[in-house]
Amino acid sequence: MQKAIDRFYKVLEFLLIILLSGMAVMVFVNVVMRYAMNSGLTVSDELARYFFVWVTFIGAVVSFREHGHMGVETLVALFGRKGRVICMAVSNVVIIGVSAIFFWGTWKQFPINWSMSAPVTGLSMGFVYGIGFFTGAGCVIIALERLIRLLTGRVTEEELAAFAGENMSLEHLAERS
Amino acid sequence: EFNDRNIRVSNGINADHPVGNGIEAMQKCLDEKSGGKLKLTAFWGGALGGDLQATQALRSGVQEAVVTSSSPLVGIEPALGVFDLPFLFANAEEAYKVLDGKFGEMMNEKLAAVGLVNLAYWENGFRNLSNSVRPVAKWEDFEGLKVRVMQNNIFLDTFQNLGANATPMAFGEVFSALETKTIDAQENPYVTIDTSKFFEVQKYITETNHAYTPFLFLFSKAIFDTYTPEEQAALRECAVVGRDVERQVIAELNKKSLEKIKAAGLEVNVLSPEEQTRIREKSMVVYQKHMDEIGAEIVDAVLAELAEIRK
Amino acid sequence: MTLLVFIASLVGAMAIGVPVAFALMFCGVVLMWFMGMFNSQIIAQNMIIGADTFTLLAIPFFVLAGELMNSGGLSKRIIEFAIACVGHIRGGLGIVAIMAAVIMASISGSAAADTAALAAILIPMMARAGYNVPRSAGLIASGGIIAPVIPPSMAFIVFGVSANVSITQLFMAGIVPGLLMGLSLILTWQFVVRKDNIQPLPKAPMSARLNATGRAAWALGMPVIILGGIKAGVVTPTEAAVIAAFYALFVGMFIYRELKPRDLPRVILQAAKTTAVIMFLVCAALVSAWLITAANIPTEITGYIEPLIDRPKLLMFAIMILVLIVGTALDLTPSILILTPVLMPIIKQAGIDPIYFGVMFVMNCCIGLITPPVGVVLNVVSGVGRVPLGKVTVGILPFLLAQTALLMLLVLFPELITVPAQWLR
Ligand code: NA
Ligand code: NA
């Protein structure tokens, strides 16, 4: 099971690399074309924007799994183990709540986005706005799994330390400024 | 029968635009009809999000109203692309007749089908071209001009077809881009050219009147349907009162803006009627190209109505 | 009252450890519920529309350029160049640190990444030369926070988009204050080390100095391309960002040959994750910003501070103090995203130049990166330089004071920002 999950995140990471590279190449080629040949592909500007949306919302789930989202740990860091466990539980309940609302809103709005097409590519905006399903569901599942482990006492010390903002890697610090 | 209603009206433009006068007049009319129960709260400068976003919020019943140009909405209702067609209306009178008449009604039905009630057609004004390179008075003068346009296929094709290099760009970057000569030209109504100070960084302006994209006063159908018939009627009637005031103010302001642009030292050119006809004929390829996505019956209907008027 | 609900829900959620992005969504939900207009579509729509903005595309590209700059050996060449230029002066390595920080700031927008690169190379050197280590670490951290003030800058892009202000103009206006930050640090450094007995580095022979300059030339070309391109109007900030990324890739791979093709996926993935973290926050902030606007909260605040509206300098002073306080606990991007929708209408009403305000605001939020208890750049310098956090916090004090004093000077004399911004426009 764990292996399958890890492989799934490897696929997501691969997707992120492809999307970001794709964005960079499209915008770069457009700049070159615009100055070298005095013409540009309007398609690539639009597509790059949609890649950007996907990078943001796929990357948000990947980062959430790695405790990568910025938080204010000042108060939590002052607490002992018990206090941290309580805060982490409540915090995950909040995350489940808002992510579920995000998913639900995406669902309710899907028909009107599906029927709208992008100005240049004509792509249905359902593909762009539908990413809310992935991110909403992804965050709910991760937070729910954490909550269950918290309530059944199976949470690791590393996770609690990460929640309190301890032992942050340089990559995590770089994401914050 | 009137209930207390707070109607949030989103605007992409700023409060000093004539739409502000229109909304004021509309509120006055609503006060009289509803005894102060129907309240418009206007949000300016895209404070509640861009036009497209606000329109989507209307469709999902999140927000009451928006005043938006027709162009950003073609993804929602492709038929609206008809208003982006180059050199469609020759003057404001033609536009008023078509919009306030049979054809406007036909478009309103299309909008209702996608969850939007169009209360009235307000005015954005004819779009004109300014640039920093050369006077533009004929077709050939467009050649090679780097023109900023909205991200809209018909506008892109119109200017590519004229020989210009059309570049889509966010509105917020246009001033800097003109100033630093990243782009040579932009196209907007006089009032926008004035209020956004584009004239400060341009040398020439041409009254091309190349597009008349109306403002729509859209209401959320989901919310509108919950209102009483009296409330609905008051909103429709007062939107027309507001429309008339707005059109009048914009006409005056257009003159003032043009004077200001002239006083700033810009050379003003006009397309001669012959040249305008020539360009319109040359632009028919754009009509052909977009006929299918707009809907042939729509394009034919508007051209037929215009032919009737021009008789 | 709505203001109170906004603050209480946001601060409450953040305090129990909810990540800022989710806390902003939560605060949006609470505001909707309080205003009696709960609708899940408000969340969904505002979240995604936020990322669908071409201007914001500059963020991943500048992040990528910064990552490539560090992985491709450009930072190292810049520091060597600075040593060759000023290493032999009294207090030389400190001046080297600031000079390198300023040059790197004009390539990258990340305070943490720049600080890490500087600290890794310079702190061991400074320790060997006999400088007080915590003080050196403090200097490098306060030099690192110049990165978001001198363009390119993710902070300016985020502010520009949420305040609807031209990013090009913000970039140009940031140059002089960024240089002033460097200058104030050099002056403070020379003052605090005046009594230390440290042998400056031997003056390198001319040929060695020319060599170092030659090796650094490719790296030094980057600020010229970015700033020159934007200033000359050849490119927009987004285009400059993508050009910078490809240039750094080219130099790192083919000129310095420190970047191997197998490193690329790691570098790109890191840039993608950083982008996602920043952008997810931007998107969540748009949810609460929409509701702040719909609830007319700025008007409520304007009511409270009515007497200050006619006194722009006093108002600026008050806001700067507020931002300094917020900055002690909150990171750079969240501070900008949370405060901009609240403050911007007030700034406009008070007639304060939005570009000037943007520069001051970003500079102030950067100072927040080196104030305890939450100071990301302090953590970076402490981790990379292996100096205990407590000692860095003491070592940084003189420089923190200098930066704050500079900020207050700029409140008194806005012309120091606005006049050069006019020249550079
Ligand atoms: Na920078
Ligand atoms: Na801080």
Side-chain angles (χ1 to χ4, degrees):
Chain A
M1 182 67 186
Q2 192 55 45
K3 221 172 168 184
I5 294 172
D6 288 342
R7 189 162 302 156
F8 176 66
Y9 279 100
K10 277 276 168 262
V11 172
L12 289 186
E13 290 188 340
F14 179 71
L15 213 56
L16 288 176
I17 294 170
I18 297 295
L19 288 171
L20 186 56
S21 317
M23 272 160 65
V25 169
M26 281 190 287
V27 177
F28 186 67
V29 166
N30 224 9
V31 179
V32 174
M33 277 184 68
R34 208 142 65 71
Y35 291 96
M37 289 169 265
N38 220 11
S39 76
L41 300 168
T42 48
V43 170
S44 65
D45 276 1
E46 193 173 277
L47 213 53
R49 245 171 43 225
Y50 297 156
F51 275 30
F52 187 36
V53 173
W54 294 324
V55 165
T56 300
F57 287 91
I58 295 172
V61 174
V62 175
S63 298
F64 180 48
R65 182 178 184 239
E66 297 168 354
H67 297 271
H69 289 292
M70 294 176 225
V72 180
E73 294 92 358
T74 323
L75 187 69
V76 176
L78 296 177
F79 291 153
R81 191 173 192 283
K82 198 171 170 196
R84 288 182 184 186
V85 169
I86 295 174
C87 282
M88 193 170 167
V90 179
S91 154
N92 276 300
V93 170
V94 170
I95 293 170
I96 292 168
V98 294
S99 305
I101 293 174
F102 183 22
F103 185 94
W104 178 30
T106 307
W107 173 258
K108 277 178 60 180
Q109 202 158 37
F110 196 68
I112 69 162
N113 287 322
W114 186 251
S115 66
M116 180 168 78
S117 49
V120 180
T121 51
L123 187 74
S124 160
M125 295 303 279
F127 289 110
V128 181
Y129 283 78
I131 193 71
F133 288 130
F134 174 80
T135 308
C139 292
V140 167
I141 292 168
I142 294 171
L144 200 61
E145 192 261 352
R146 265 180 206 157
L147 186 65
I148 291 169
R149 277 190 298 111
L150 268 165
L151 296 179
T152 54
R154 284 182 298 147
V155 73
T156 64
E157 294 307 311
E158 280 111 350
E159 267 181 293
L160 275 177
F163 176 69
E166 288 165 6
N167 314 326
M168 247 188 279
S169 72
L170 191 60
E171 281 75 26
H172 277 165
L173 290 170
E175 283 164 9
R176 290 179 154 224
S177 68
Chain B
E1 204 194 333
F2 289 94
N3 302 295
D4 281 314
R5 308 278 191 193
N6 179 21
I7 297 161
R8 284 165 301 174
V9 189
S10 174
N11 295 275
I13 50 197
N14 290 328
D16 52 4
H17 190 279
V19 167
N21 305 73
I23 287 191
E24 207 176 295
M26 182 169 169
Q27 180 67 63
K28 214 171 139 220
C29 164
L30 286 173
D31 283 344
E32 280 162 17
K33 285 192 196 289
S34 72
K37 290 203 164 172
L38 298 182
K39 279 263 164 282
L40 301 174
T41 310
F43 292 88
W44 302 101
L48 278 186
D51 288 341
L52 186 58
Q53 182 189 0
T55 307
Q56 289 293 68
L58 259 56
R59 296 179 71 202
S60 51
V62 162
Q63 190 190 314
E64 290 82 7
V66 64
V67 179
T68 171
S69 153
S70 58
S71 307
L73 310 187
V74 289
I76 298 173
E77 177 45 69
L80 286 173
V82 72
F83 297 124
D84 295 330
L85 290 173
F87 306 95
L88 181 69
F89 301 121
N91 52 53
E93 283 65 40
E94 278 188 14
Y96 296 162
K97 276 186 191 146
V98 169
L99 295 170
D100 303 342
K102 200 160 84 247
F103 184 76
E105 200 46 52
M106 179 177 167
M107 294 303 286
N108 288 348
E109 280 161 26
K110 292 240 167 219
L111 286 164
V114 292
L116 298 164
V117 176
N118 182 27
L119 296 181
Y121 291 92
W122 289 27
E123 183 155 84
N124 186 3
F126 275 105
R127 303 178 78 91
N128 294 310
L129 181 90
S130 75
N131 82 89
S132 55
V133 177
R134 66 176 91 95
V136 173
K138 58 181 187 303
W139 168 273
E140 288 75 12
D141 298 331
F142 285 90
E143 184 65 43
L145 280 185
K146 226 175 240 175
V147 186
R148 178 266 172 181
V149 295
M150 287 185 286
Q151 183 115 38
N152 172 306
N153 280 343
I154 299 182
F155 275 80
L156 281 165
D157 287 342
T158 298
F159 283 93
Q160 301 285 21
N161 182 48
L162 286 166
N165 178 11
T167 310
M169 181 181 284
F171 187 82
E173 292 297 334
V174 175
F175 186 91
S176 291
L178 288 172
E179 187 176 40
T180 54
K181 306 251 170 24
T182 310
I183 49 171
D184 307 318
Q186 63 81 42
E187 49 85 44
N188 264 299
Y190 281 143
V191 178
T192 312
I193 297 174
D194 172 13
T195 52
S196 304
K197 307 223 182 311
F198 293 152
F199 66 88
E200 289 180 0
V201 285
Q202 298 275 268
K203 285 196 196 118
Y204 308 96
I205 193 159
T206 307
E207 191 157 310
T208 49
N209 282 358
H210 59 270
Y212 179 97
T213 49
F215 274 144
L216 312 172
F217 199 118
L218 296 176
F219 213 94
S220 161
K221 188 160 187 303
I223 299 176
F224 199 71
D225 289 346
T226 66
Y227 284 14
T228 65
E230 292 81 2
E231 290 169 344
Q232 295 182 348
L235 281 167
R236 286 188 190 279
E237 285 157 26
C238 293
V240 170
V241 172
R243 174 197 77 192
D244 293 342
V245 170
E246 196 252 355
R247 282 181 182 170
Q248 194 194 335
V249 175
I250 215 168
E252 287 158 17
L253 204 59
N254 255 328
K255 279 191 208 124
K256 264 192 225 155
S257 293
L258 182 57
E259 285 312 311
K260 199 164 153 191
I261 292 167
K262 269 186 196 160
L266 271 77
E267 183 183 325
V268 182
N269 293 284
V270 200
L271 295 181
S272 65
E274 301 78 49
E275 189 57 29
Q276 189 155 28
T277 313
R278 181 172 163 242
I279 293 186
R280 183 182 291 130
E281 273 160 18
K282 286 211 173 217
S283 296
M284 277 304 147
V285 287
V286 180
Y287 282 56
Q288 287 307 325
K289 184 172 174 198
H290 293 278
M291 186 77 98
D292 285 344
E293 65 193 60
I294 296 170
E297 76 288 358
I298 300 281
V299 179
D300 290 343
V302 76
L303 289 178
E305 201 164 322
L306 280 166
E308 189 67 28
I309 293 167
R310 284 176 192 154
K311 242 185 232 164
Chain C
M1 188 56 201
T2 332
L3 178 64
L4 202 68
V5 172
F6 163 66
I7 295 174
S9 58
L10 182 62
V11 173
M14 289 193 304
I16 61 160
V18 178
V20 183
F22 294 102
L24 281 162
M25 289 164 81
F26 175 71
C27 141
V29 173
V30 173
L31 276 176
M32 283 195 300
W33 170 78
F34 180 76
M35 289 156 66
M37 49 178 284
F38 182 86
N39 190 329
S40 58
Q41 297 177 76
I42 294 179
I43 305 278
Q45 195 190 14
N46 283 289
M47 282 295 286
I48 299 197
I49 205 118
D52 185 12
T53 308
F54 190 72
T55 322
L56 288 171
L57 268 178
I59 291 179
F61 300 148
F62 279 134
V63 170
L64 196 56
E67 296 269 345
L68 289 166
M69 171 181 91
N70 286 327
S71 309
L74 280 77
S75 305
K76 209 169 81 192
R77 303 310 193 284
I78 290 169
I79 294 171
E80 283 167 8
F81 167 70
I83 292 175
C85 287
V86 291
H88 57 278
I89 302 175
R90 240 190 90 77
L93 281 173
I95 305 176
V96 165
I98 299 308
M99 183 173 163
V102 167
I103 299 174
M104 283 160 71
S106 58
I107 300 176
S108 114
S110 165
D114 284 13
T115 307
L118 287 167
I121 300 175
L122 283 175
I123 289 184
M125 283 180 78
M126 291 173 91
R128 256 180 275 130
Y131 289 101
N132 175 322
V133 173
R135 189 190 283 152
S136 309
L139 176 78
I140 286 172
S142 22
I145 64 164
I146 299 175
V149 180
I150 291 182
S153 156
M154 269 67 86
F156 279 148
I157 297 170
V158 169
F159 173 80
V161 166
S162 47
N164 204 6
V165 182
S166 160
I167 289 155
T168 304
Q169 287 187 35
L170 283 167
F171 273 16
M172 292 305 151
I175 297 174
V176 170
L179 293 174
L180 287 177
M181 283 170 88
L183 186 66
S184 78
L185 289 178
I186 290 178
L187 293 178
T188 314
W189 170 257
Q190 292 298 57
F191 181 76
V192 293
V193 298
R194 72 192 181 285
K195 286 195 185 129
D196 296 5
N197 185 23
I198 287 155
Q199 271 311 99
L201 296 181
K203 191 166 178 174
M206 201 55 183
S207 63
R209 297 167 75 182
L210 282 176
N211 261 336
T213 311
R215 278 195 303 273
W218 282 95
L220 296 175
M222 238 170 117
V224 178
I225 291 175
I226 297 174
L227 288 182
I230 299 175
K231 172 73 185 91
V234 185
V235 289
T236 62
T238 310
E239 295 170 342
V242 80
I243 292 171
F246 275 92
Y247 182 82
L249 178 71
F250 172 77
V251 174
M253 249 183 180
F254 299 109
I255 308 291
Y256 296 156
R257 296 170 187 229
E258 291 199 8
L259 193 67
K260 301 281 172 283
R262 64 166 183 277
D263 299 332
L264 267 185
R266 180 186 53 78
V267 173
I268 296 173
L269 180 62
Q270 184 52 39
K273 284 186 192 168
T274 306
T275 303
V277 168
I278 298 176
M279 282 305 303
F280 191 58
L281 197 58
V282 170
C283 296
L286 284 174
V287 174
S288 58
W290 192 89
L291 286 153
I292 288 168
T293 313
N296 265 324
I297 287 181
T299 322
E300 194 179 330
I301 298 177
T302 318
Y304 298 139
I305 57 157
E306 199 67 69
L308 286 180
I309 290 286
D310 300 329
R311 301 183 182 82
K313 277 183 191 170
L314 205 57
L315 178 67
M316 267 308 276
F317 180 74
I319 291 178
M320 288 300 118
I321 299 291
L322 170 80
V323 177
L324 274 176
I325 295 170
V326 170
T328 58
L330 215 54
D331 293 326
L332 175 63
T333 320
S335 304
I336 295 174
L337 286 167
I338 292 171
L339 292 176
T340 304
V342 180
L343 293 178
M344 215 44 212
I346 302 170
I347 295 298
K348 277 190 197 150
Q349 207 186 333
I352 296 172
D353 178 7
I355 301 287
Y356 161 72
F357 173 72
V359 173
M360 291 292 283
F361 182 37
V362 166
M363 199 171 144
N364 196 339
C365 291
C366 286
I367 293 177
L369 293 171
I370 53 168
T371 55
V374 182
V376 170
V377 171
L378 289 180
N379 293 354
V380 169
V381 86
S382 146
V384 177
R386 297 180 201 290
V387 192
L389 193 60
K391 287 196 171 168
V392 182
T393 312
V394 177
I396 208 165
L397 262 181
F399 310 112
L400 182 60
L401 282 176
Q403 309 271 48
T404 315
L406 174 65
L407 189 75
M408 292 308 154
L409 189 75
L410 293 172
V411 171
L412 289 176
F413 304 103
E415 297 77 14
L416 288 171
I417 292 179
T418 53
V419 173
Q422 279 298 323
W423 301 333
L424 288 167
R425 242 167 54 139

